[in-house]
Amino acid sequence: AIGYQESHWNTAAVSPTGVQGIMMLTNVTANHFGVQDRTNAQQSIRGGAELFRLLQRNLADVPEPDRTWMALAGYNMGPTYIERARARAARAGDDSTKWLVVSQHLREMGLESRAQGRTLQVGQALHYVQQVRRYYDALVLATAAGNDNRVAFNDGSRRRVQ
């Protein structure tokens, strides 16, 4: 699900910021996780998965599923922003282990950043988390035991897929 949101499973994907491959890894991240070729699907997925696991481990005090949602946001915008939003939530007396609470503090940080003439890609990260959750749910549904291979379409119909 992360790979689909990052690159639509395009091994040659490159962003304007220089991240590359299915998991859209930076050079620094790729080097850290031993990825020699970011366009190699296997290496990219392994490196991205290792990064995601590290982000989850760093949120060990956060129960699931909130840990996963925060790790996804950290994958997208960098874990430092999640740490700052959690610290901000704790200072405000809010529950810093709840994704909804942390996401509200991220939104506030984004508004403050904008007011100061800076850009913090909070909206992008929140959308990212939502999309990965949707893709994950779709993959689970599509591979569930007893799946009848039918998909619901926007027009309300259900059609069989192969």
Side-chain angles (χ1 to χ4, degrees), residues 86-106:
R86 291 190 66 207
R88 180 184 175 123
R91 282 192 306 273
D94 297 333
D95 188 347
S96 66
T97 67
K98 299 295 182 197
W99 167 241
L100 287 177
V101 170
V102 172
S103 68
Q104 289 168 345
H105 284 276
L106 280 171

Side-chain angles (χ1 to χ4, degrees), residues 2-61:
I2 294 172
Y4 186 76
Q5 178 61 27
E6 288 289 342
S7 66
H8 293 277
W9 296 318
N10 178 358
T11 58
V14 180
S15 84
T17 61
V19 295
Q20 187 175 12
I22 286 180
M23 300 300 278
M24 298 303 262
L25 302 175
T26 64
N27 272 324
V28 171
T29 299
N31 288 336
H32 179 78
F33 291 108
V35 175
Q36 296 175 355
D37 179 2
R38 293 180 293 163
T39 64
N40 177 291
Q42 185 175 10
Q43 290 183 37
S44 181
I45 291 168
R46 182 184 44 75
E50 288 181 24
L51 170 60
F52 185 67
R53 280 192 297 273
L54 175 64
L55 294 170
Q56 286 184 307
R57 280 194 305 272
N58 289 341
L59 294 163
D61 64 313

